[in-house]
Amino acid sequence: MTDTTAVLGYAWPLVVSPGEEVAFHLSSATLEGAEATLLRVRCADPDPDGPGLRFHQPGTPLDGPVALRHQPLRPGSCALIPDAPALNRPGALSVAAFIHPTAPGTGPQTLLSRWRDDTAEGWRLALDAEARLEFTLGAQGRLWRVTAPRPVLEREWIFVGACYDPAQGRITVFQSSLDAQAGRDTGGMASAEAPREIAWPADTALVIAAHALEAGAAPRTAGHFDGKIDRPRLLSAARDEAALRALAESLTPSPAEPDLVGAWDFSREMSTDIIRDLSANRLDGRLRQMPMRAATGANWDGRTVQWTEAPELYGAIHFHSDDMHDAGWSPDLRLTIPEDWRSGFYALRLRARQGGEDPVESFVAFFVRAPLGRPRAKLAFVASTATFLAYANSALRLDQVHAEAMLEGLIALSRDDVYLQEHRELGLSTYDTHSDGSGWCYSTAKRPILNMRPRGATFNYGNDTHILDWLEQIGQDYDIVTDDDIHRHGAQTLAPYRCVITGSHPEYFSRSMIEAFDAYQRGGGRHIYLGGNGFYWRIGWHPTEPHAMEIRRGMIGLRTWEGEPGENALSFTGEPSGLWRASGRPPQRLVGVGFDAQVFTRSYPYEWREPARDPRIAWAVEGIDLDAPLGDFGLRGGGAAGLEVDRVEPTLGSPPHLLWLATADRLDYGGVPTLEELRTLHRGTMGDQNAQVRADIAFFPTARGGAVFSTGSIAWACALSHNGYENSVSRLTGNVLRRFLDPAPFEGFDL
Amino acid sequence: MLVNHPEAAHWPVDPSRLDLVEEFRRKPRGPHSDELQKLLHRMRWSGVGRRHVLVVLEPNRRWMLARMPGRRGAPVETFPNQVFTSLAEAEWAVFALRWEALTGQTLAPSRTTP
């Protein structure tokens, strides 16, 4: 059994051009060294029934032994405000905020603190292990503590605060539930003795949603809070609950209030990691590990569900104790990509313990792009990096108890899955929920990603390499362009290519990406879409941070979690998220077909339809028996139509000139329609009784000699290599590719 | 939030329906009759007997029986003595465990191998 996790790493940047440097950030808890080899990936799927792992080794100075060290991962998000004179005012203080705890009672969780744990000095407002509000002072080896009488409730807004009054020698905590009825009132207060004077620790950061373990501006942190914090306030005076409540309710507390130390408005600069202080002290801070912004605040009343329309209702940040968006590892190897390298899927292979019972073979993936405006081939294959990120470290099969029922068979865990089950500090995918049950809406590449590399789970990355393998097999030259670049540079990323192929599952698209494809197709580009469930979710990319995407799952679509009400607009861009179908760009309009069902029981062949005999499409079906099933073979369920499938649907935009060439519409009871297909409920909607559950193959011409060919099935790519690449799926794909690379326009469509 | 309700799986299992057992033994990977589909759904959704899974020892060739710990971060429990060389064999072994957990009845030895 090959050990794929004894050494892990990530490449930064994830996508590089020839001439640019890529750095490999590695860590091993057990190995002192490994043998590194840099490889271009041809096939990443180790399945012995298929092509198997296949690589090209270009030979680099990196190839050889590499020393390894252990670099820990420190999950958990918080806000950090470095020490400042205003934080060191002697004597009294008050602190308050609205909070919405999402995992109270799972352990001590700090809300606001200026505390260093190594010396137990400072102050800290927290929830204790029993979910009770607790205020602690520490100095010179002594602790003073006061705890509220009743625990807070999960997922209920509550106003919390504390004050230290040295004149009275008292500390007080108080809390008021915002919906104080029907069993939801946990309000109360408590007071205890405190010193008449105290010395605050020097050089200690103010931390929101955690506390510092040590001094300094960038301390390690602990006690991470799960939940939302809205409008935190800090004063250098002892104030009662009513005064603090009024200060927190106010969206614009007066900066001239002399005792106001800080009043943070999390609705400012929503797409950044900056938090702004409204006080005269300008105690702006930074967010660590990307907590969720654009979260509804305690004052959100449903008047809008779009934060851009009333940002003042979105003054909350949802912190998670398991947020992980930047591993922060130091680099171990660096390579400047030679100018003459082909673009492609690349990976650093790390081997150790070869010849033993538990040999190590672990990969760190990256992509070499064809530089913008410098194509080296007529064909481009799109690396679906948005989709790879959306699925990065998916724990769906580990955590989601419906997974075996959905997948229609025993779940087979890889060594990566077994590792991920125990190592949640890697950070999960946008298919997963945080430990507090809320959905992961961001995914970044500054961390090891187990399922975007050779030997990893085949869904997406591995399946897509079957297309690369096939292109290599038929001797077709191609460039690689990535979703990141299509988003950043738009249509000009695609424009130089006569034909562009999207892979098995190009599911996640930003507005810029989908407009790039639309413009490409309208401008005479040819697009071959060899997948299923494509062009489905609307995402955002971070405006400045590379390789960071965001999805809000919303209320429709095939979701593994449901977004919270009012929280379905992207914090990165302010745009709506959810399905493109709900944003006026259903996939059928772009590629003729759109997601309609999943089928995991098995995969099926297509049957040819009459339009396949249309002379205008004769080039596509040349050499293929139109009376025989198409694709009754393949590595995924024994057919070319399966897993997730798309169909032609004119009401969603399949164009009038579309030729519906083939269909797999007998998907039996395992064909389960996607949720947005069902407006009303009745029995009999599964594939055994419902021909709308199907995979379709379609062709249509677009303006200026462009065209689109779609196969509507994730399983398609894994049928290409059947029978030594001699098969009808390979033949059809090759016929279309050859014709799409030929600039001659498509005649007879009355354009 | 993600909300699953495995405890909601309540299709009544009839311990006398050994015909369904036989049908599954013959064709573990389906297609299955309506009633066998319901029995399998009861088993798979409810996670009866705790959630059995496989750990891949060799891609598409060898698998080991394992069980989910039911808690994030806890290790997967593995059964190194139960290794399968086909998915059908593995499906059958887990079916037999679940049948026993649901009905209290052990399948006769003649029925415990595919």
Side-chain angles (χ1 to χ4, degrees), chain A residues 700-730:
Chain A
F700 61 93
T702 61
R704 300 189 186 181
V708 175
F709 177 80
S710 298
T711 55
S713 158
I714 290 181
W716 182 273
C718 299
L720 288 166
S721 63
H722 176 74
N723 187 36
Y725 306 87
E726 290 293 325
N727 63 74
S728 53
V729 166
S730 171

Side-chain angles (χ1 to χ4, degrees), chain A residues 288-370:
Chain A
R288 181 183 275 182
Q289 295 296 10
M290 214 179 267
M292 191 185 89
R293 301 196 74 163
T296 51
N299 56 346
W300 183 73
D301 56 7
R303 90 180 70 137
T304 178
V305 292
Q306 193 71 23
W307 66 263
T308 48
E309 291 177 7
E312 68 277 11
L313 304 181
Y314 288 83
I317 290 178
H318 192 147
F319 298 91
H320 300 97
S321 59
D322 57 357
D323 276 323
M324 166 49 64
H325 298 288
D326 183 354
W329 289 355
S330 299
D332 297 282
L333 293 172
R334 295 174 188 275
L335 177 73
T336 299
I337 304 300
E339 289 285 354
D340 61 346
W341 271 23
R342 284 179 61 182
S343 57
F345 286 39
Y346 282 80
L348 183 73
R349 184 181 66 198
L350 296 152
R351 280 180 166 171
R353 298 198 299 253
Q354 294 298 301
E357 276 193 11
D358 200 24
V360 176
E361 184 170 279
S362 180
F363 292 87
V364 179
F366 67 106
F367 302 89
V368 175
R369 66 161 78 81

Side-chain angles (χ1 to χ4, degrees), chain B:
Chain B
M1 289 285 279
L2 165 71
V3 182
N4 294 137
H5 295 289
E7 69 284 359
H10 71 172
W11 187 77
V13 177
D14 179 352
S16 71
R17 291 297 302 275
L18 293 173
D19 58 315
L20 298 179
V21 174
E22 187 58 26
E23 181 190 344
F24 186 81
R25 193 190 62 79
R26 282 198 316 271
K27 274 208 290 190
R29 302 288 286 179
H32 299 128
S33 66
D34 280 356
E35 284 188 299
L36 181 53
Q37 287 175 43
K38 287 175 177 169
L39 172 60
L40 287 172
H41 187 70
R42 170 81 197 266
M43 290 175 163
R44 288 169 175 169
W45 187 20
S46 67
V48 62
R50 291 243 314 272
R51 290 171 57 208
H52 281 96
V53 295
L54 302 175
V55 171
V56 177
L57 298 178
E58 240 179 279
N60 215 2
R61 288 294 180 270
R62 283 199 312 135
W63 299 263
M64 170 171 59
L65 187 67
R67 199 154 63 167
M68 293 305 293
R71 186 167 61 80
R72 294 181 183 203
V76 175
E77 183 185 1
T78 55
F79 302 93
N81 292 334
Q82 297 206 56
V83 172
F84 310 102
T85 53
S86 82
L87 284 176
E89 185 192 348
E91 288 282 2
W92 169 253
V94 172
F95 180 95
L97 291 168
R98 290 170 174 172
W99 178 263
E100 186 174 347
L102 279 173
T103 66
Q105 295 181 12
T106 310
L107 293 172
S110 64
R111 298 183 189 275
T112 54
T113 48

Side-chain angles (χ1 to χ4, degrees), chain A residues 79-82 84-87 89 112 206 208 231-235 247 250-257 259-269 272-286 293 317:
Chain A
L80 287 163
I81 295 119
L87 293 172
R89 291 181 190 167
L112 291 120
L206 180 75
I208 301 173
R231 284 168 282 166
R233 306 289 187 245
L234 179 62
L235 290 100
L247 189 65
S250 169
L251 298 170
T252 53
S254 169
E257 153 72 76
D259 294 326
L260 186 64
V261 174
W264 291 272
D265 179 356
F266 295 158
S267 73
R268 311 268 174 124
E269 302 188 46
T272 73
D273 65 349
I274 296 167
I275 56 162
R276 288 290 180 208
D277 171 23
L278 304 178
S279 86
N281 297 312
R282 301 290 183 245
L283 294 175
D284 300 334
R286 291 270 177 181
R293 301 196 74 163
I317 290 178

Side-chain angles (χ1 to χ4, degrees), chain A residues 86-324:
Chain A
L87 293 172
N88 275 307
R89 291 181 190 167
L93 72 83
S94 300
V95 56
F98 296 100
I99 67 165
H100 185 262
T102 47
T106 53
Q109 301 178 38
T110 302
L111 303 167
L112 291 120
S113 65
R114 190 162 172 273
W115 176 268
R116 49 181 294 190
D117 218 41
D118 54 350
T119 57
E121 289 176 288
W123 58 265
R124 185 173 80 201
L125 183 66
L127 298 177
D128 72 7
E130 280 76 49
R132 293 173 308 178
L133 187 68
E134 177 186 79
F135 188 53
T136 307
L137 300 187
Q140 294 168 329
R142 278 200 64 188
L143 293 178
W144 295 268
R145 182 172 286 148
V146 61
T147 306
R150 288 193 287 171
V152 298
L153 293 182
E154 185 174 323
R155 292 182 182 271
E156 287 293 327
W157 278 108
I158 190 165
F159 175 72
V160 299
C163 78
Y164 164 49
D165 185 350
Q168 302 293 321
R170 305 294 294 178
I171 46 174
T172 307
V173 286
F174 37 81
Q175 64 191 42
S176 304
S177 301
L178 268 60
D179 184 7
Q181 52 94 44
R184 296 194 175 98
D185 183 5
T186 66
M189 66 173 297
S191 185
E193 269 190 49
R196 296 271 173 180
E197 59 181 334
I198 193 165
W200 302 124
D203 189 25
T204 299
L206 180 75
V207 184
I208 301 173
H211 61 257
L213 289 171
E214 59 215 2
R220 291 173 300 140
T221 51
H224 288 269
F225 171 64
D226 281 297
K228 296 198 274 191
I229 298 179
D230 182 12
R231 284 168 282 166
R233 306 289 187 245
L234 179 62
L235 290 100
S236 56
R239 296 286 170 81
D240 65 12
E241 179 176 359
L244 290 170
R245 177 71 179 266
L247 189 65
E249 292 281 1
S250 169
L251 298 170
T252 53
S254 169
E257 153 72 76
D259 294 326
L260 186 64
V261 174
W264 291 272
D265 179 356
F266 295 158
S267 73
R268 311 268 174 124
E269 302 188 46
M270 199 72 97
S271 65
T272 73
D273 65 349
I274 296 167
I275 56 162
R276 288 290 180 208
D277 171 23
L278 304 178
S279 86
N281 297 312
R282 301 290 183 245
L283 294 175
D284 300 334
R286 291 270 177 181
L287 296 170
R288 181 183 275 182
Q289 295 296 10
M290 214 179 267
M292 191 185 89
R293 301 196 74 163
T296 51
N299 56 346
W300 183 73
D301 56 7
R303 90 180 70 137
T304 178
V305 292
Q306 193 71 23
W307 66 263
T308 48
E309 291 177 7
E312 68 277 11
L313 304 181
Y314 288 83
I317 290 178
H318 192 147
F319 298 91
H320 300 97
S321 59
D322 57 357
D323 276 323
M324 166 49 64

